[in-house]
Amino acid sequence: VTVKNSHADILERLQRIQQATREHRQAHGCGAYTFEDGYGLIDLVQSVRAMRVVELGTALGFTACCLAQGHESTHVDTVEADETHVRLARKNISDMGLAANITVHQGLFIDTLANLVPGYDVAFFDGFAPSIAVLDQVKDLLRNNGLLICANTSLADSEERQKLDRYFNNTDFWLMKTPIEHGQTRVCVKR
Ligand SMILES: C[S@@+](CC[C@H](N)C(=O)[O-])C[C@H]1O[C@@H](n2cnc3c(N)ncnc32)[C@H](O)[C@@H]1O
């Protein structure tokens, strides 16, 4: 077992990207708040053996690298508009040895998602407040029984939050599972 590939080494390197994201956000004054439950993401992708994952909101690549831990041939398509974030994420992903597993698409969610091929096992939304228009696009990209992990619903204003509650509580479309990130991030299965 080489040190490079040990489980502890991967976790430590993931934590370094997460810490670099915190430092970058302060220096850049941007909205790249890093996700606080990388273990929760890794557990979910491993439990469903996710082979195809789509992520919205790459920042510096921390969560894309977590989502790529499902299986050695998992592929993650991750979308980010900010060109500095894209450049730093590509570097971090390459340093993790995950360049073949993760494609960073530079662009807006709404434009980029329209060009992806449906059939994803898992989708992770970690942009700013989610919009129903983007969540609908994500739903179309997921396969039946695919998993949607949706962060940042609390960032929406109260009217939008009510719409999001109604959206996720529609059992014709979604089956709610136990949330992650201390209850702040929704997890649901596409019906
Ligand atoms: C909360 S941060 C992502 C954090 C990252 N997942 C992590 O845990 O380190 C949100 C990111 O989404 C990007 N973003 C927000 N809205 C976007 C949009 N409509 N299209 C593309 N990127 C967007 C921002 O530039 C930012 O880098």
Side-chain angles (χ1 to χ4, degrees):
V1 178
T2 64
V3 172
K4 179 176 174 287
N5 291 325
S6 78
H7 188 59
D9 181 61
I10 289 171
L11 294 180
E12 194 190 309
R13 289 179 330 134
L14 286 171
Q15 276 167 4
R16 280 211 293 273
I17 302 177
Q18 190 182 37
Q19 185 53 32
T21 311
R22 294 191 181 110
E23 286 161 18
H24 166 85
R25 190 188 64 75
Q26 289 198 328
H28 192 201
C30 64
Y33 286 90
T34 193
F35 191 65
E36 293 299 337
D37 189 7
Y39 292 115
L41 287 183
I42 294 172
D43 271 355
L44 283 171
V45 290
Q46 290 185 345
S47 70
V48 301
R49 289 177 67 80
M51 301 303 291
R52 288 189 70 209
V53 180
V54 58
E55 173 182 64
L56 288 76
T58 319
L60 273 60
F62 165 62
T63 43
C65 291
C66 294
L67 293 164
Q69 302 301 317
H71 185 274
E72 62 186 18
S73 46
T74 298
H75 189 267
V76 181
D77 286 300
T78 181
V79 186
E80 172 60 58
D82 183 299
E83 69 174 303
T84 302
H85 295 178
V86 168
R87 182 172 46 77
L88 295 170
R90 286 185 178 142
K91 166 91 172 67
N92 289 331
I93 288 164
S94 161
D95 289 350
M96 283 290 291
L98 290 171
N101 298 80
I102 301 173
T103 305
V104 183
H105 301 265
Q106 186 177 348
L108 290 172
F109 299 151
I110 209 116
D111 302 332
T112 310
L113 293 183
N115 295 319
L116 298 179
V117 178
Y120 287 90
D121 303 303
V122 170
F124 175 51
F125 181 93
D126 194 25
F128 304 137
S131 75
I132 287 176
V134 167
L135 292 178
D136 268 338
Q137 274 184 307
V138 169
K139 181 157 74 64
D140 289 343
L141 286 171
L142 277 174
R143 65 167 169 79
N144 285 344
N145 296 317
L147 212 59
L148 170 62
I149 308 166
C150 184
N152 300 341
T153 50
S154 63
L155 298 181
D157 64 35
S158 67
E159 191 182 332
E160 193 61 23
R161 229 171 23 234
Q162 282 176 13
K163 284 191 202 157
L164 287 166
D165 281 339
R166 281 199 296 276
Y167 183 78
F168 284 115
N169 288 331
N170 184 341
T171 52
D172 289 339
F173 295 130
W174 300 110
L175 178 68
M176 295 302 288
K177 308 288 274 186
T178 309
I180 60 171
E181 207 195 17
H182 309 293
Q184 296 196 68
T185 288
R186 288 171 192 260
V187 179
C188 48
V189 174
K190 175 178 165 175
R191 305 206 53 187

mmCIF file of all heavy atoms in Angstrom, residues 126-155:
data_model
loop_
_atom_site.group_PDB
_atom_site.id
_atom_site.type_symbol
_atom_site.label_atom_id
_atom_site.label_comp_id
_atom_site.label_asym_id
_atom_site.label_seq_id
_atom_site.Cartn_x
_atom_site.Cartn_y
_atom_site.Cartn_z
ATOM 1 N N ASP A 126 -24.758 22.829 -5.138
ATOM 2 C CA ASP A 126 -24.105 23.651 -4.112
ATOM 3 C C ASP A 126 -23.730 25.012 -4.708
ATOM 4 O O ASP A 126 -22.658 25.545 -4.468
ATOM 5 C CB ASP A 126 -22.862 22.920 -3.553
ATOM 6 C CG ASP A 126 -22.343 23.548 -2.266
ATOM 7 O OD1 ASP A 126 -23.134 24.197 -1.548
ATOM 8 O OD2 ASP A 126 -21.137 23.402 -1.970
ATOM 9 N N GLY A 127 -24.670 25.535 -5.534
ATOM 10 C CA GLY A 127 -24.513 26.911 -6.013
ATOM 11 C C GLY A 127 -24.977 27.807 -4.881
ATOM 12 O O GLY A 127 -24.982 27.399 -3.723
ATOM 13 N N PHE A 128 -25.419 29.005 -5.182
ATOM 14 C CA PHE A 128 -25.992 29.797 -4.097
ATOM 15 C C PHE A 128 -27.411 29.258 -3.871
ATOM 16 O O PHE A 128 -27.600 28.050 -3.973
ATOM 17 C CB PHE A 128 -25.870 31.279 -4.426
ATOM 18 C CG PHE A 128 -24.431 31.692 -4.696
ATOM 19 C CD1 PHE A 128 -24.102 32.526 -5.749
ATOM 20 C CD2 PHE A 128 -23.399 31.199 -3.892
ATOM 21 C CE1 PHE A 128 -22.771 32.881 -5.993
ATOM 22 C CE2 PHE A 128 -22.063 31.540 -4.131
ATOM 23 C CZ PHE A 128 -21.760 32.386 -5.195
ATOM 24 N N ALA A 129 -28.417 30.112 -3.596
ATOM 25 C CA ALA A 129 -29.763 29.571 -3.347
ATOM 26 C C ALA A 129 -30.266 28.842 -4.605
ATOM 27 O O ALA A 129 -30.153 29.375 -5.711
ATOM 28 C CB ALA A 129 -30.701 30.708 -2.988
ATOM 29 N N PRO A 130 -30.799 27.629 -4.450
ATOM 30 C CA PRO A 130 -31.267 26.892 -5.633
ATOM 31 C C PRO A 130 -32.523 27.521 -6.227
ATOM 32 O O PRO A 130 -33.371 28.021 -5.492
ATOM 33 C CB PRO A 130 -31.578 25.495 -5.081
ATOM 34 C CG PRO A 130 -31.786 25.676 -3.614
ATOM 35 C CD PRO A 130 -30.987 26.864 -3.199
ATOM 36 N N SER A 131 -32.639 27.486 -7.557
ATOM 37 C CA SER A 131 -33.886 27.923 -8.184
ATOM 38 C C SER A 131 -34.610 26.689 -8.702
ATOM 39 O O SER A 131 -33.965 25.689 -9.074
ATOM 40 C CB SER A 131 -33.610 28.891 -9.340
ATOM 41 O OG SER A 131 -33.129 28.172 -10.455
ATOM 42 N N ILE A 132 -35.941 26.781 -8.747
ATOM 43 C CA ILE A 132 -36.717 25.625 -9.201
ATOM 44 C C ILE A 132 -36.421 25.342 -10.672
ATOM 45 O O ILE A 132 -36.362 24.181 -11.082
ATOM 46 C CB ILE A 132 -38.206 25.829 -8.882
ATOM 47 C CG1 ILE A 132 -38.364 25.646 -7.360
ATOM 48 C CG2 ILE A 132 -39.091 24.834 -9.645
ATOM 49 C CD1 ILE A 132 -39.695 25.875 -6.788
ATOM 50 N N ALA A 133 -36.144 26.387 -11.455
ATOM 51 C CA ALA A 133 -35.824 26.163 -12.882
ATOM 52 C C ALA A 133 -34.588 25.276 -13.011
ATOM 53 O O ALA A 133 -34.570 24.318 -13.798
ATOM 54 C CB ALA A 133 -35.597 27.498 -13.581
ATOM 55 N N VAL A 134 -33.555 25.565 -12.207
ATOM 56 C CA VAL A 134 -32.327 24.756 -12.288
ATOM 57 C C VAL A 134 -32.582 23.354 -11.708
ATOM 58 O O VAL A 134 -32.135 22.350 -12.265
ATOM 59 C CB VAL A 134 -31.150 25.473 -11.589
ATOM 60 C CG1 VAL A 134 -29.980 24.524 -11.385
ATOM 61 C CG2 VAL A 134 -30.702 26.673 -12.416
ATOM 62 N N LEU A 135 -33.344 23.282 -10.606
ATOM 63 C CA LEU A 135 -33.624 21.951 -10.022
ATOM 64 C C LEU A 135 -34.406 21.080 -11.006
ATOM 65 O O LEU A 135 -34.188 19.864 -11.076
ATOM 66 C CB LEU A 135 -34.378 22.082 -8.697
ATOM 67 C CG LEU A 135 -33.558 22.702 -7.560
ATOM 68 C CD1 LEU A 135 -34.415 22.824 -6.299
ATOM 69 C CD2 LEU A 135 -32.288 21.901 -7.266
ATOM 70 N N ASP A 136 -35.291 21.698 -11.780
ATOM 71 C CA ASP A 136 -36.029 20.928 -12.804
ATOM 72 C C ASP A 136 -35.070 20.376 -13.864
ATOM 73 O O ASP A 136 -35.219 19.241 -14.310
ATOM 74 C CB ASP A 136 -37.087 21.809 -13.476
ATOM 75 C CG ASP A 136 -38.430 21.706 -12.767
ATOM 76 O OD1 ASP A 136 -38.669 20.695 -12.072
ATOM 77 O OD2 ASP A 136 -39.234 22.648 -12.914
ATOM 78 N N GLN A 137 -34.089 21.201 -14.241
ATOM 79 C CA GLN A 137 -33.085 20.713 -15.215
ATOM 80 C C GLN A 137 -32.309 19.545 -14.624
ATOM 81 O O GLN A 137 -32.037 18.557 -15.308
ATOM 82 C CB GLN A 137 -32.076 21.826 -15.523
ATOM 83 C CG GLN A 137 -32.475 22.777 -16.614
ATOM 84 C CD GLN A 137 -31.332 23.743 -16.873
ATOM 85 O OE1 GLN A 137 -30.835 24.390 -15.944
ATOM 86 N NE2 GLN A 137 -30.899 23.860 -18.102
ATOM 87 N N VAL A 138 -31.957 19.685 -13.345
ATOM 88 C CA VAL A 138 -31.201 18.618 -12.666
ATOM 89 C C VAL A 138 -32.048 17.343 -12.605
ATOM 90 O O VAL A 138 -31.547 16.239 -12.854
ATOM 91 C CB VAL A 138 -30.801 19.085 -11.249
ATOM 92 C CG1 VAL A 138 -30.252 17.929 -10.424
ATOM 93 C CG2 VAL A 138 -29.778 20.206 -11.323
ATOM 94 N N LYS A 139 -33.334 17.508 -12.299
ATOM 95 C CA LYS A 139 -34.225 16.337 -12.217
ATOM 96 C C LYS A 139 -34.249 15.595 -13.551
ATOM 97 O O LYS A 139 -34.184 14.365 -13.586
ATOM 98 C CB LYS A 139 -35.630 16.773 -11.811
ATOM 99 C CG LYS A 139 -36.607 15.602 -11.681
ATOM 100 C CD LYS A 139 -37.768 15.928 -10.777
ATOM 101 C CE LYS A 139 -38.774 16.854 -11.400
ATOM 102 N NZ LYS A 139 -39.460 16.301 -12.584
ATOM 103 N N ASP A 140 -34.303 16.343 -14.645
ATOM 104 C CA ASP A 140 -34.317 15.698 -15.965
ATOM 105 C C ASP A 140 -33.015 14.960 -16.265
ATOM 106 O O ASP A 140 -33.008 14.009 -17.048
ATOM 107 C CB ASP A 140 -34.563 16.742 -17.065
ATOM 108 C CG ASP A 140 -35.996 17.262 -17.036
ATOM 109 O OD1 ASP A 140 -36.852 16.604 -16.400
ATOM 110 O OD2 ASP A 140 -36.255 18.325 -17.622
ATOM 111 N N LEU A 141 -31.918 15.418 -15.653
ATOM 112 C CA LEU A 141 -30.625 14.759 -15.901
ATOM 113 C C LEU A 141 -30.445 13.496 -15.070
ATOM 114 O O LEU A 141 -29.627 12.635 -15.396
ATOM 115 C CB LEU A 141 -29.476 15.730 -15.599
ATOM 116 C CG LEU A 141 -29.258 16.840 -16.623
ATOM 117 C CD1 LEU A 141 -28.238 17.852 -16.106
ATOM 118 C CD2 LEU A 141 -28.787 16.262 -17.957
ATOM 119 N N LEU A 142 -31.197 13.393 -13.945
ATOM 120 C CA LEU A 142 -31.060 12.219 -13.069
ATOM 121 C C LEU A 142 -31.809 11.032 -13.658
ATOM 122 O O LEU A 142 -32.880 11.192 -14.247
ATOM 123 C CB LEU A 142 -31.679 12.516 -11.693
ATOM 124 C CG LEU A 142 -30.844 13.253 -10.656
ATOM 125 C CD1 LEU A 142 -31.722 13.552 -9.432
ATOM 126 C CD2 LEU A 142 -29.605 12.458 -10.254
ATOM 127 N N ARG A 143 -31.283 9.844 -13.432
ATOM 128 C CA ARG A 143 -32.046 8.642 -13.797
ATOM 129 C C ARG A 143 -33.135 8.423 -12.750
ATOM 130 O O ARG A 143 -33.076 9.008 -11.656
ATOM 131 C CB ARG A 143 -31.105 7.434 -13.872
ATOM 132 C CG ARG A 143 -30.474 7.045 -12.537
ATOM 133 C CD ARG A 143 -29.823 5.679 -12.643
ATOM 134 N NE ARG A 143 -28.999 5.336 -11.510
ATOM 135 C CZ ARG A 143 -29.436 4.895 -10.332
ATOM 136 N NH1 ARG A 143 -30.739 4.787 -10.089
ATOM 137 N NH2 ARG A 143 -28.586 4.594 -9.367
ATOM 138 N N ASN A 144 -34.108 7.546 -13.051
ATOM 139 C CA ASN A 144 -35.104 7.196 -12.035
ATOM 140 C C ASN A 144 -34.383 6.554 -10.860
ATOM 141 O O ASN A 144 -33.449 5.770 -11.054
ATOM 142 C CB ASN A 144 -36.140 6.219 -12.595
ATOM 143 C CG ASN A 144 -37.105 6.930 -13.521
ATOM 144 O OD1 ASN A 144 -37.184 8.163 -13.504
ATOM 145 N ND2 ASN A 144 -37.804 6.169 -14.339
ATOM 146 N N ASN A 145 -34.812 6.897 -9.641
ATOM 147 C CA ASN A 145 -34.157 6.456 -8.403
ATOM 148 C C ASN A 145 -32.786 7.085 -8.183
ATOM 149 O O ASN A 145 -32.072 6.684 -7.271
ATOM 150 C CB ASN A 145 -34.033 4.926 -8.307
ATOM 151 C CG ASN A 145 -35.392 4.279 -8.256
ATOM 152 O OD1 ASN A 145 -36.275 4.780 -7.552
ATOM 153 N ND2 ASN A 145 -35.593 3.219 -9.007
ATOM 154 N N GLY A 146 -32.408 8.056 -9.035
ATOM 155 C CA GLY A 146 -31.172 8.802 -8.792
ATOM 156 C C GLY A 146 -31.347 9.720 -7.584
ATOM 157 O O GLY A 146 -32.468 10.019 -7.155
ATOM 158 N N LEU A 147 -30.207 10.158 -7.054
ATOM 159 C CA LEU A 147 -30.213 10.908 -5.792
ATOM 160 C C LEU A 147 -29.924 12.384 -6.049
ATOM 161 O O LEU A 147 -28.948 12.706 -6.720
ATOM 162 C CB LEU A 147 -29.078 10.326 -4.947
ATOM 163 C CG LEU A 147 -29.173 10.266 -3.443
ATOM 164 C CD1 LEU A 147 -30.383 9.453 -3.023
ATOM 165 C CD2 LEU A 147 -27.889 9.627 -2.898
ATOM 166 N N LEU A 148 -30.765 13.256 -5.504
ATOM 167 C CA LEU A 148 -30.469 14.694 -5.524
ATOM 168 C C LEU A 148 -30.043 15.115 -4.122
ATOM 169 O O LEU A 148 -30.761 14.875 -3.150
ATOM 170 C CB LEU A 148 -31.702 15.503 -5.945
ATOM 171 C CG LEU A 148 -31.581 17.021 -5.768
ATOM 172 C CD1 LEU A 148 -30.459 17.610 -6.621
ATOM 173 C CD2 LEU A 148 -32.901 17.713 -6.105
ATOM 174 N N ILE A 149 -28.880 15.744 -4.036
ATOM 175 C CA ILE A 149 -28.371 16.285 -2.765
ATOM 176 C C ILE A 149 -28.374 17.797 -2.951
ATOM 177 O O ILE A 149 -27.704 18.312 -3.858
ATOM 178 C CB ILE A 149 -26.940 15.764 -2.491
ATOM 179 C CG1 ILE A 149 -26.875 14.236 -2.585
ATOM 180 C CG2 ILE A 149 -26.448 16.259 -1.135
ATOM 181 C CD1 ILE A 149 -25.444 13.678 -2.663
ATOM 182 N N CYS A 150 -29.163 18.501 -2.147
ATOM 183 C CA CYS A 150 -29.364 19.934 -2.413
ATOM 184 C C CYS A 150 -29.019 20.779 -1.188
ATOM 185 O O CYS A 150 -29.739 20.746 -0.192
ATOM 186 C CB CYS A 150 -30.806 20.174 -2.853
ATOM 187 S SG CYS A 150 -31.098 21.891 -3.296
ATOM 188 N N ALA A 151 -27.917 21.526 -1.292
ATOM 189 C CA ALA A 151 -27.491 22.416 -0.206
ATOM 190 C C ALA A 151 -28.113 23.801 -0.400
ATOM 191 O O ALA A 151 -28.713 24.094 -1.435
ATOM 192 C CB ALA A 151 -25.963 22.524 -0.208
ATOM 193 N N ASN A 152 -27.963 24.630 0.608
ATOM 194 C CA ASN A 152 -28.212 26.078 0.511
ATOM 195 C C ASN A 152 -29.673 26.489 0.328
ATOM 196 O O ASN A 152 -29.924 27.625 -0.082
ATOM 197 C CB ASN A 152 -27.377 26.710 -0.630
ATOM 198 C CG ASN A 152 -25.889 26.512 -0.416
ATOM 199 O OD1 ASN A 152 -25.468 26.238 0.698
ATOM 200 N ND2 ASN A 152 -25.106 26.630 -1.463
ATOM 201 N N THR A 153 -30.636 25.598 0.635
ATOM 202 C CA THR A 153 -32.036 26.035 0.509
ATOM 203 C C THR A 153 -32.334 27.155 1.514
ATOM 204 O O THR A 153 -33.196 27.986 1.260
ATOM 205 C CB THR A 153 -33.026 24.863 0.720
ATOM 206 O OG1 THR A 153 -32.673 24.187 1.910
ATOM 207 C CG2 THR A 153 -33.011 23.890 -0.438
ATOM 208 N N SER A 154 -31.588 27.206 2.626
ATOM 209 C CA SER A 154 -31.864 28.252 3.620
ATOM 210 C C SER A 154 -31.408 29.627 3.140
ATOM 211 O O SER A 154 -31.736 30.639 3.756
ATOM 212 C CB SER A 154 -31.196 27.907 4.950
ATOM 213 O OG SER A 154 -29.812 27.888 4.757
ATOM 214 N N LEU A 155 -30.653 29.682 2.037
ATOM 215 C CA LEU A 155 -30.231 30.986 1.504
ATOM 216 C C LEU A 155 -31.351 31.673 0.711
ATOM 217 O O LEU A 155 -31.264 32.861 0.424
ATOM 218 C CB LEU A 155 -29.011 30.829 0.585
ATOM 219 C CG LEU A 155 -27.732 30.284 1.222
ATOM 220 C CD1 LEU A 155 -26.619 30.204 0.182
ATOM 221 C CD2 LEU A 155 -27.291 31.165 2.386
#
